[in-house]
């Protein structure tokens, strides 16, 4: 018997586009492609601990292929599904120096380009902590019918039509946002489908968890140090006490922030004044998701989604999460100006 309470990612995205007059369903097919890459990456990520064992077996690999690192594998999966799908004119990836413009008949007719971080938090693989894939989808500024161009990729985050992430955690989830809302789907491994499990996600307005790399504390600018100091000194009387959590995998730290509320920060440091995280592949997608969910994202001085990228791999400091916490953090930036 079919359980009608279960709504798969495909069914959900089709239901969504039927509500929009003249929609072509291209976005649905794009999300299905990304979901497919996510399932394939998930299979490999799950086997990560077996690499040595499988590596031994791998000696039977007559082609003599190298065992690809997981981030390269993930990148290849993302590029592959998007290139062979029908909805994507080109991609930009954290793993690749330049954009890839697909430039074939079907791709040239597509109206979207996708920017992604194929495997975020990859340094956590060895310790079995959660990692993920992050993506942002933009409508081309050039007209379909011709190959995409650089201008299609260098757009401000506010131009995203959709953004999302897949988290390979204690369960695997795909969460994506369009302007209509943020929805989360959990992978049911028994049927290999992402099933709607977290409809209409809203980030709590306030939270008690702040997430930052304390190891860099002395390298942060004064307003950041001040805000961290405030976080450490919160009491019951003013919304505290706060807890500090930092996994070192943005997807995992942001997924928790979205569900439980909180603030995630990756500030600039004296070594890296522009911060570490990539505007196009990490900050913009999460800024879009968090804003649709009711939260905020800033670089301390400017809304993340308003930043116009100069280069594909630009980095930015980021302060993102529950509105009240981000506002409080920003108040120390304003004070310092
Ligand atoms: P990636 O694995 O794609 O290079 O990204 C890692 C990022 C991000 O996920 C995380 O928030 C941050 O690096 C952690 O950096 P630090 O170890 O410097 O705190
Ligand atoms: Mn990353
Ligand atoms: Mn990465």
């Amino acid at each position: 018997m079919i359980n009608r309470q279960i709504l798969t990612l495909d069914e959900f995205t089709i239901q969504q586009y039927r509500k929009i007059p003249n929609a072509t369903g291209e976005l649905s097919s794009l999300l299905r492609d990304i979901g497919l890459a996510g399932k394939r990456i998930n299979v490999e990520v799950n086997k990560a601990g077996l690499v040595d064992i499988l590596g031994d077996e791998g000696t039977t690999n007559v082609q003599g292929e190298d065992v690809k690192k997981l981030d390269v594998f993930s990148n290849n999966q993302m590029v592959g599904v998007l290139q062979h799908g029908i909805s994507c004119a080109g991609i930009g990836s954290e793993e690749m120096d330049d954009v890839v413009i697909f430039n074939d008949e079907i791709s040239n007719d597509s109206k979207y380009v996708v920017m992604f971080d194929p495997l975020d938090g990859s340094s956590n693989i060895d310790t079995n902590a959660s990692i993920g894939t992050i993506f942002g989808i933009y409508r081309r500024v050039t007209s379909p019918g011709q190959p995409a161009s650089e201008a299609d990729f260098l757009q401000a985050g506010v131009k995203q039509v959709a953004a999302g992430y897949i988290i390979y955690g204690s369960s695997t989830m795909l969460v994506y946002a369009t302007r209509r809302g943020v929805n989360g789907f959990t992978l049911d491994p028994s049927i290999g489908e992402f099933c709607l499990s977290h409809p209409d996600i809203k980030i709590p307005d306030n939270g008690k968890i702040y997430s930052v790399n304390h190891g860099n504390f002395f390298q942060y600018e004064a307003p950041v140090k001040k805000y961290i100091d405030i976080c450490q000194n919160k009491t019951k009387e003013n919304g505290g006490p706060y807890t500090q959590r930092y996994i070192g995998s943005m997807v995992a730290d942001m997924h928790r922030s979205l569900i439980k509320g909180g603030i995630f920060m990756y500030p600039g440091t004296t070594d890296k004044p522009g911060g570490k995280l990539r505007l196009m592949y990490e900050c913009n997608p999460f800024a879009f998701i968090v804003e649709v969910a009711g939260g905020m994202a800033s670089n301390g001085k400017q809304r993340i989604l308003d930043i116009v990228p100069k280069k594909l791999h630009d980095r930015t400091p980021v302060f993102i999460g529950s509105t009240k916490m981000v506002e409080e953090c920003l108040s120390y930036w304003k004070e310092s100006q």
Side-chain angles (χ1 to χ4, degrees), residues 94 117 119-121 134 282:
E94 191 199 72
D117 177 353
L119 203 58
D120 174 70
I134 312 170
E282 289 160 329

Side-chain angles (χ1 to χ4, degrees), residues 197-265:
S197 53
H198 295 60
D200 200 19
I201 297 172
K202 298 277 185 237
I203 184 168
D205 225 26
N206 209 346
K208 286 180 189 285
I209 302 175
Y210 72 104
S211 189
V212 68
N213 186 338
H214 263 284
N216 295 334
F217 182 84
F218 291 104
Q219 292 204 46
Y220 294 148
E221 289 180 69
V224 183
K225 285 183 183 157
K226 179 134 186 212
Y227 178 64
I228 293 176
D229 193 51
I230 297 287
C231 290
Q232 290 174 321
N233 286 289
K234 286 274 181 191
T235 59
K236 237 187 185 156
E237 284 65 49
N238 58 3
Y242 278 6
T243 293
Q244 198 270 351
R245 292 269 183 274
Y246 188 74
I247 295 168
S249 165
M250 189 187 193
V251 171
D253 283 316
M254 282 309 304
H255 184 65
R256 181 198 57 244
S257 306
L258 200 60
I259 304 290
K260 291 198 161 180
I263 184 169
F264 171 84
M265 304 179 263

